[in-house]
């Protein structure tokens, strides 16, 4: 096999190795996928300023995210169904993140449960929660996260209902997968994946099945979302959830300066500028275009992180130079996981770290904490000139 040199190499192997249903789940945006596409193409529109004859020795990408030491400001984002991309996927990804010195965020919609991931790791990880109608279930989720030693809650606020991803409907996406003649035929060609799945008992939504009352179909994300998610969510409720947790609290899914101010008011430690990887509101702005206005509004009062569209160390560099204090990768680590299990997640982190470190140096900078917009060439009007 030729050496893996970039995230795209991992994506190609992942596409061959994992059943179509799960590949499509990760690799989709909602409706026309405009926002999904622009999340990456807008990063491409920003240029980096090459500088020469600057001392490049003694470089460091180490910093902190919400007070936690990180070897680079790149956390693993919560991704639902990760354990369907490769057997025991959440445990593998968490272990890779721990060894690399970056945060791992477990999704509520994970296959491996909160307790299971805690048992197989040694450092506190972060836990992502949705805002659900069943307050009792929420309380128990928080309590389980506490008991498991999680340091941080990441609350997702942009998924009161689910954006439509056409392929998931067509593929009948579920965990465990529905055995239609088409899906069986496709799975038969994914031998390594299948053997891994046969060798594990973790094939259901581990945090939900057996824990959530009155949920009779937790096999599909969309049915569970429709039954359990709180469409009436408001900022008072988010403030209530904040008070239920005495650790660090991150609000994920902010794309507007007014919402960023609200997040500040409820006492979050950080916000994640995110459009959910282009999976929710199609035609929303890309995260990187939305970032500057949010930084202007709250950047001096709260840590502003970003996800959606980050596929390289250069993307991380651009976001950090713009003023973000942390970034997240979702698909980029899933490609690695689906391609090569834990080693693939490590590979994805190594690729991004190397790209970040070398590109920072070629911009004439040695320390991730000393970046600023001076290394960026941002096209005029990048943020958009919108009519009032
Ligand atoms: C869940 O968060 C999803 O985007 O599928």
């Amino acid at each position: 096999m030729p050496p893996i040199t970039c995230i795209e190499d991992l994506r190609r192997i992942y596409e061959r190795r994992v059943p179509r249903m799960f590949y499509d789940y990760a690799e989709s945006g909602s409706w026309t996928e405009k926002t999904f596409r622009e999340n990456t193409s807008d990063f491409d529109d920003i240029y980096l300023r090459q500088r020469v004859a600057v001392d490049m020795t003694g470089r460091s990408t180490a910093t902190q995210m919400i007070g936690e030491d990180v070897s680079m400001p790149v956390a693993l984002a919560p991704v639902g169904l990760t354990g369907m991309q490769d057997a025991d996927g959440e445990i593998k990804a968490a272990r890779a993140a721990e060894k690399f010195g970056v945060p791992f965020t477990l999704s509520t919609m994970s296959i491996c449960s909160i307790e299971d991931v805690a048992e197989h790791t040694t450092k506190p990880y972060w836990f992502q929660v949705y805002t659900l109608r069943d307050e009792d279930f929420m309380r128990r989720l928080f309590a389980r996260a506490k008991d498991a030693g999680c340091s941080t809650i990441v609350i997702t606020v942009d998924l009161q209902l689910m954006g439509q991803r056409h392929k998931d409907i067509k593929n009948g996406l579920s965990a465990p997968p529905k055995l239609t003649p088409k899906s069986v035929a496709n799975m038969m060609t994914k031998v390594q994946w299948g053997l891994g799945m046969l060798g594990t008992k973790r094939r259901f939504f581990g945090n939900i099945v057996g824990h959530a009352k009155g949920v009779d179909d937790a096999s599909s994300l969309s049915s569970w979302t429709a039954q359990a998610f709180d469409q009436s969510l408001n900022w008072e409720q988010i403030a209530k959830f904040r008070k239920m947790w005495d650790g660090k609290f991150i609000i994920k899914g902010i794309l507007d300066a007014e919402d960023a101010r609200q997040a500040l008011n409820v006492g979050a430690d950080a916000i994640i500028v995110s459009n959910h990887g282009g999976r929710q509101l199609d035609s929303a702005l890309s995260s990187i275009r939305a970032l500057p206005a949010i930084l202007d509004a709250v950047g001096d009062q709260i840590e502003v992180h970003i996800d959606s569209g980050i596929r390289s160390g250069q993307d991380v560099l651009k976001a950090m130079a713009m003023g973000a204090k942390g970034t997240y990768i979702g698909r980029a680590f899933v490609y690695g996981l689906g391609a090569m299990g834990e080693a693939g997640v490590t590979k994805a982190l190594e690729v991004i770290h190397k790209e970040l470190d070398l590109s920072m140096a070629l911009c004439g900078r040695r320390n991730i904490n000393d970046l600023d917009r001076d290394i960026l060439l941002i096209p005029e009007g990048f943020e958009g000139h919108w009519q009032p």
Side-chain angles (χ1 to χ4, degrees):
M1 192 165 74
I4 290 161
T5 58
C6 58
I7 296 297
E8 176 58 14
D9 288 346
L10 291 170
R11 192 201 59 73
R12 276 196 223 110
I13 303 169
Y14 163 58
E15 184 173 11
R16 283 200 302 272
R17 210 177 152 260
V18 173
R20 198 70 206 178
M21 175 188 289
F22 299 114
Y23 174 83
D24 281 348
Y25 169 67
E27 208 44 26
S28 292
S30 54
W31 290 287
T32 70
E33 302 193 328
K34 173 183 167 71
T35 300
F36 169 59
R37 286 190 301 276
E38 290 183 2
N39 275 337
T40 48
S41 63
D42 284 348
F43 267 107
D44 292 344
D45 286 347
I46 299 174
Y47 291 82
L48 293 166
R49 260 180 87 194
Q50 171 181 297
R51 303 302 305 275
V52 297
V54 179
D55 182 0
M56 291 179 180
T57 58
R59 296 189 304 280
S60 173
T61 59
T63 183
Q64 290 199 325
M65 285 171 76
I66 53 161
E68 286 184 24
D69 289 331
V70 293
S71 59
M72 63 175 172
V74 182
L76 300 198
V79 179
L81 288 159
T82 294
M84 281 288 138
Q85 305 289 359
D86 192 50
D88 310 331
E90 289 90 0
I91 291 173
K92 290 174 182 166
R95 290 165 91 123
E98 180 173 321
K99 286 183 203 145
F100 210 88
V102 295
F104 171 75
T105 319
L106 183 72
S107 166
T108 299
M109 304 282 207
S110 58
I111 302 299
C112 304
S113 69
I114 304 174
E115 294 77 13
D116 217 0
V117 174
E119 234 169 79
H120 292 88
T121 50
T122 61
K123 271 192 4 206
Y125 63 89
W126 297 359
F127 183 60
Q128 173 267 348
V129 293
Y130 287 105
T131 50
L132 306 173
R133 275 193 281 140
D134 183 346
E135 212 178 296
D136 191 42
F137 180 68
M138 287 295 277
R139 273 184 206 287
R140 276 182 288 126
L141 262 190
F142 279 64
R144 287 171 64 198
K146 190 99 228 156
D147 289 347
C150 296
S151 63
T152 301
I153 287 288
V154 176
I155 193 160
T156 299
V157 294
D158 62 1
L159 204 142
Q160 281 153 270
L161 44 75
M162 211 156 177
Q164 178 169 309
R165 302 103 191 225
H166 302 317
K167 288 180 208 146
D168 291 351
I169 298 174
K170 291 187 168 105
N171 291 334
L173 175 85
S174 63
K178 278 200 187 77
L179 298 180
T180 62
K182 198 170 159 209
S183 65
V184 170
N186 181 252
M187 268 179 249
M188 302 267 276
T189 65
K190 315 291 176 185
V191 179
Q192 258 180 304
W193 177 91
L195 289 175
M197 282 299 160
L198 285 175
T200 184
K201 289 201 186 71
R202 303 177 183 103
R203 291 194 288 259
F204 303 89
F205 288 110
N207 293 325
I208 300 160
V209 175
H211 294 279
K213 281 182 246 129
V215 178
D216 36 75
D217 182 6
S219 68
S220 110
L221 281 186
S222 50
S223 63
W224 192 65
T225 313
Q227 282 187 46
F229 284 43
D230 185 6
Q231 292 195 18
S232 68
L233 180 74
N234 58 37
W235 282 102
E236 272 153 49
Q237 275 161 295
I238 296 173
K240 209 155 92 186
F241 292 134
R242 203 286 161 256
K243 290 201 185 91
M244 275 162 57
W245 181 255
D246 58 12
K248 292 280 162 89
F249 193 84
I250 301 179
I251 298 184
K252 172 174 179 285
I254 301 293
L255 212 59
D256 192 279
E258 279 178 36
D259 290 338
R261 285 188 204 100
Q262 298 273 18
L264 190 65
N265 289 341
V266 302
D269 296 287
I271 55 172
I272 309 178
V273 175
S274 170
N275 52 40
H276 213 105
R279 300 161 74 78
Q280 286 296 99
L281 178 63
D282 191 27
S283 285
L285 276 189
S286 69
S287 290
I288 192 67
R289 282 181 93 189
L291 180 65
I294 293 174
L295 284 167
D296 284 349
V298 298
D300 55 344
Q301 298 166 77
I302 191 171
E303 269 190 39
V304 177
H305 300 172
I306 180 171
D307 75 17
S308 305
I310 293 176
R311 306 283 189 275
S312 69
Q314 287 85 358
D315 294 340
V316 175
L317 183 64
K318 290 171 186 178
M320 295 297 289
M322 215 178 239
K325 293 283 182 263
T327 69
Y328 296 73
I329 50 168
R331 294 185 179 91
F333 94 77
V334 167
Y335 301 162
L337 178 72
M340 296 159 56
E342 182 179 332
V345 179
T346 302
K347 189 61 171 177
L349 290 166
E350 283 169 357
V351 162
I352 288 182
H353 180 261
K354 188 171 178 190
E355 289 168 344
L356 172 62
D357 176 45
L358 300 192
S359 304
M360 180 172 78
L362 293 169
C363 288
R365 300 299 178 94
R366 295 192 291 188
N367 194 312
I368 196 88
N369 296 308
D370 297 335
L371 298 179
D372 49 57
R373 274 173 170 246
D374 205 44
I375 66 164
L376 300 179
L377 297 167
I378 304 172
E380 228 170 283
F382 180 71
E383 290 170 58
H385 301 297
W386 315 114
Q387 297 206 338

